[in-house]
């Protein structure tokens, strides 16, 4: 099929490259000239495992090209995927849907033949219905332009795998012709057994935010338990393992630590709370405010613990931070707990040196006043305290022997609860985790 993808960020670039790899002809629309030029050369402007090979293959085959013209997009194909971002608004908890609105209005006026527009962006419930009205009003082809909402659930670090092998396909439609077109488009995945849920627009929009709200709730639940564990001498990892054996609960997303960050979970739960308020059901979503508060408190607790571990005064303390990305296998530092903690420690007068295997460059752009090292060991030079805040596998490889003679004081805090604390303790280190014995 000839398809287009509007917005080539994480979601759009991965969708465009994966669909071209499946054999479709794809035109990507990206208004940022630098990003567009990089993509057209087959270069991925972000770090995402396997996306570089996939993009290079798709661009190299000639099946994936890029443009900044809505007219070209409309002329190219009859299936258009809207994948633009919906960040949090600067002055409110709400999602900023201006890029979605711009994509729909920009495209609509060029749609002069039967077409299906597919929204994949994460939007406040009710947006799809509004966009359907926009299309009906602005598109020259009028009622022949259909809309479907088809949320995307990809995780950073697994974007390619999740796009090629989704765990479900959700299709929100008002018209069975739109359903048929999307079923045809996703035929190879559906034939491979991927479950399909066909529903209305509102449910399709809600599935995405409800998923992220549930995941965030799970993380804040275990983080709240970590605080209780600390007050009682219990161990949150043993607790999570034990409750996780109950298949109704499940062990995934029960890792206590410095909390969730990134471009999705934090802003999606806030936008959900805001939208619930607009809909008059804010009370039903109050718990999500607590989920957000627990998450924020984790970051603050890490700052307090760090302060205590350096003897009560952060001013002048030298602190090494392992990790800057909001999670491993990503260079994304949006709302990253590791960088938030680093920034706070620095503001309190500590000398903070950060090392992240992939995110030093993106971190430096957001936090240029922090120092950055080229390796985990280098970051620890003369450190009074080492904080492990993003669980890249290479940090688990560092041994106490590697840091002998490097640090000023042998003190380690594991903010992701994955290091072997006993091994560090037996080497004479003072160690702490969150909610750990
Ligand atoms: C999330 C959703 O998982 C994905 O389905 C959706 O499409 C986009 O948002 P992502 O932002 O890539 O994906 O990150 P995710 O893997 O969900 O992790 C989010 C944050 O939670 C990270 O900061 C991670 O470190 C943290 N986390 C995750 C925990 O603190 N504990 C856990 O047990 C799991």
């Amino acid at each position: 099929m000839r398809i287009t993808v509007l917005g080539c960020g994480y979601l759009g670039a991965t969708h465009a490259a994966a669909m071209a790899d499946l054999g479709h002809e794809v035109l990507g629309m990206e208004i940022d000239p630098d990003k567009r030029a990089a993509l057209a050369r087959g270069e991925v402007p972000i770090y995402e495992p396997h996306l570089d090979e996939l993009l290079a293959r798709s661009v190299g085959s000639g099946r994936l090209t890029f443009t900044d013209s809505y007219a070209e997009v409309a002329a190219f194909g009859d299936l258009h995927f809207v994948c633009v971002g919906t960040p949090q608004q600067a002055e409110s908890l709400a999602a900023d849907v201006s890029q979605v609105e711009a994509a729909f209005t920009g495209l609509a006026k060029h749609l002069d033949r039967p077409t299906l527009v597919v929204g994949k962006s994460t939007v406040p419930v009710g947006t799809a219905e509004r966009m359907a009205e926009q299309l009906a009003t602005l598109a020259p082809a009028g009622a022949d332009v259909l809309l479907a909402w088809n949320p995307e659930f990809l995780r950073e670090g697994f974007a390619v795998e999740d796009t090629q092998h989704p765990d479900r396909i959700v299709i929100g439609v008002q018209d069975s012709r739109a359903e048929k077109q999307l079923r045809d488009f996703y035929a190879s995945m559906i034939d491979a057994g991927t479950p399909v849920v066909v529903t209305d627009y509102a449910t399709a929009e809600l599935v995405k935010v409800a998923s992220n709200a549930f995941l965030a709730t799970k993380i804040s639940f275990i983080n709240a338990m970590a605080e209780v564990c600390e007050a009682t001498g219990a161990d949150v990892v043993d607790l999570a393992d034990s409750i996780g054996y109950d298949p109704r609960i499940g062990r995934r997303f029960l890792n206590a630590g410095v909390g969730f960050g990134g471009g999705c979970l934090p802003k999606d739960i806030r936008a959900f709370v805001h939208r619930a308020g607009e809909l008059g059901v804010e009370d039903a979503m109050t718990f999500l405010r607590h989920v957000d508060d627990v998450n924020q408190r984790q970051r603050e607790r890490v700052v307090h613990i760090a302060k205590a571990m350096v003897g009560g005064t952060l001013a002048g303390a030298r602190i090494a931070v392992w990790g800057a990305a909001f999670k491993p296998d990503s260079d994304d530092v949006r709302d990253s707990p590791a960088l938030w903690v680093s920034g706070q420690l620095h503001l309190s007068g500590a000398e903070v040196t950060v090392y992240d295997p992939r995110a030093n460059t993106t971190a430096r752009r957001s936090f240029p006043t922090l120092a950055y090292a080229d390796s985990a060991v280098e970051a620890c030079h003369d450190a009074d305290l080492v904080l492990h805040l993003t669980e890249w596998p290479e940090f688990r490889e560092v041994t106490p022997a590697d840091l002998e003679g490097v640090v000023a004081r042998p003190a380690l805090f594991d903010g992701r609860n994955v290091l072997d604390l006993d091994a560090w303790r037996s080497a004479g280190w003072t160690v702490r985790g969150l909610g750990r014995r």
Side-chain angles (χ1 to χ4, degrees):
M1 288 187 192
R2 286 170 69 85
I3 69 156
T4 77
V5 175
L6 289 88
C8 294
Y10 268 103
L11 166 56
T14 313
H15 187 64
M19 295 307 123
D21 204 48
L22 276 180
H24 300 293
E25 299 282 322
V26 184
L27 178 64
M29 157 117 190
E30 175 52 57
I31 53 174
D32 180 324
D34 295 337
K35 214 188 262 182
R36 188 174 63 249
L39 290 166
R41 290 193 301 270
E43 292 165 18
V44 186
I46 47 174
Y47 174 67
E48 180 60 45
H50 312 301
L51 185 54
D52 47 358
E53 305 131 49
L54 189 70
L55 183 82
R57 201 158 61 226
S58 299
V59 170
S61 71
R63 280 198 301 274
L64 175 56
T65 51
F66 295 91
T67 183
D68 63 350
S69 152
Y70 286 112
E72 269 181 47
V73 166
F76 184 87
D78 296 316
L79 190 49
H80 306 287
F81 291 90
V82 176
C83 297
V84 293
T86 52
Q88 186 177 334
Q89 284 181 13
E91 305 288 322
S92 119
L93 295 184
D96 172 0
V97 291
S98 59
Q99 294 177 50
V100 174
E101 285 164 352
F104 271 89
T105 48
L107 177 64
K109 45 185 181 273
H110 299 284
L111 298 176
D112 55 9
R113 56 178 200 264
T115 306
L116 175 61
V117 183
V118 184
K120 286 189 92 62
S121 306
T122 303
V123 290
V125 56
T127 307
E129 199 169 325
R130 254 184 337 108
M131 294 304 113
E133 284 159 18
Q134 291 268 28
L135 291 175
T137 314
L138 298 176
D144 283 336
V145 176
L146 302 176
L147 174 70
W149 216 264
N150 170 222
E152 174 59 57
F153 304 97
L154 66 80
R155 299 160 297 165
E156 291 182 22
F158 298 89
V160 170
E161 191 184 319
D162 288 350
T163 304
Q164 291 174 331
H165 308 284
D167 46 19
R168 74 217 114 147
I169 296 172
V170 177
I171 301 176
V173 286
Q174 275 182 338
D175 187 304
S176 57
R177 285 174 298 169
E179 176 191 340
K180 176 163 184 339
Q181 261 183 277
L182 272 182
R183 280 188 182 274
D184 289 347
F185 179 70
Y186 288 124
S188 60
M189 296 174 190
I190 297 171
D191 291 347
T194 308
V196 181
V197 179
V198 179
T199 183
D200 51 76
Y201 289 155
T203 309
E205 293 167 309
L206 276 173
V207 171
K208 177 60 190 279
V209 282
S211 286
N212 280 351
F214 192 83
L215 294 172
T217 304
K218 244 185 136 174
I219 298 168
S220 279
F221 171 83
I222 201 67
N223 281 332
M225 287 301 143
E227 230 175 304
V228 177
C229 285
E230 272 176 30
T232 55
D235 186 279
V236 75
V237 175
D238 290 350
L239 181 77
D241 288 345
S242 307
I243 63 175
Y245 282 120
D246 181 335
R248 295 169 301 175
I249 296 174
R251 179 63 178 84
R252 295 176 73 186
F253 272 70
L254 282 183
N255 295 321
V258 66
F260 58 79
C264 290
L265 258 51
K267 66 108 178 159
D268 284 353
I269 60 167
R270 291 172 197 149
F272 198 10
V273 169
H274 181 90
R275 185 69 184 129
E278 290 175 345
L279 294 166
V281 286
E282 190 170 5
D283 288 352
M285 289 295 116
T286 307
F287 76 96
L288 279 183
R289 284 191 188 276
H290 294 302
V291 167
D292 201 8
D293 289 347
V294 170
N295 195 53
Q296 182 56 31
R297 199 164 61 239
Q298 290 303 99
R299 300 176 183 196
E300 287 158 12
R301 285 180 64 218
V302 173
V303 173
H304 288 303
I305 292 170
K307 187 175 172 187
M309 288 184 82
V310 296
T313 313
L314 283 168
R318 295 177 59 99
I319 299 182
V321 175
W322 286 348
F326 82 103
K327 67 190 264 192
D329 281 323
S330 171
D331 64 357
D332 193 345
V333 297
R334 285 176 294 171
D335 208 348
S336 164
L339 268 190
W340 190 95
V341 168
S342 303
Q344 288 298 308
L345 294 172
H346 176 71
L347 284 175
S348 305
E351 286 178 42
V352 181
T353 304
V354 176
Y355 166 68
D356 188 287
R358 292 282 178 176
N360 271 11
T361 306
T362 44
R364 202 191 298 266
R365 256 181 244 140
S366 318
F367 285 78
T369 52
L370 300 173
Y372 293 89
D374 290 328
S375 74
V377 173
E378 189 191 311
C380 297
H381 188 68
D382 266 351
D384 298 308
L385 173 65
V386 180
L387 300 181
H388 172 244
L389 299 183
T390 312
E391 71 276 34
W392 287 91
E394 73 172 65
F395 297 139
R396 296 198 276 282
E397 307 295 318
V398 182
T399 63
D402 295 330
L403 297 185
E404 206 173 318
V406 176
V407 293
R409 290 169 55 205
L412 171 68
F413 170 77
D414 181 9
R416 291 294 179 179
N417 287 342
V418 292
L419 300 180
D420 183 350
L421 298 189
D422 287 339
W424 287 86
R425 257 184 212 122
S426 4
W429 282 63
T430 303
V431 289
R432 273 198 68 173
L434 280 168
R436 302 229 53 195
R437 264 193 305 271

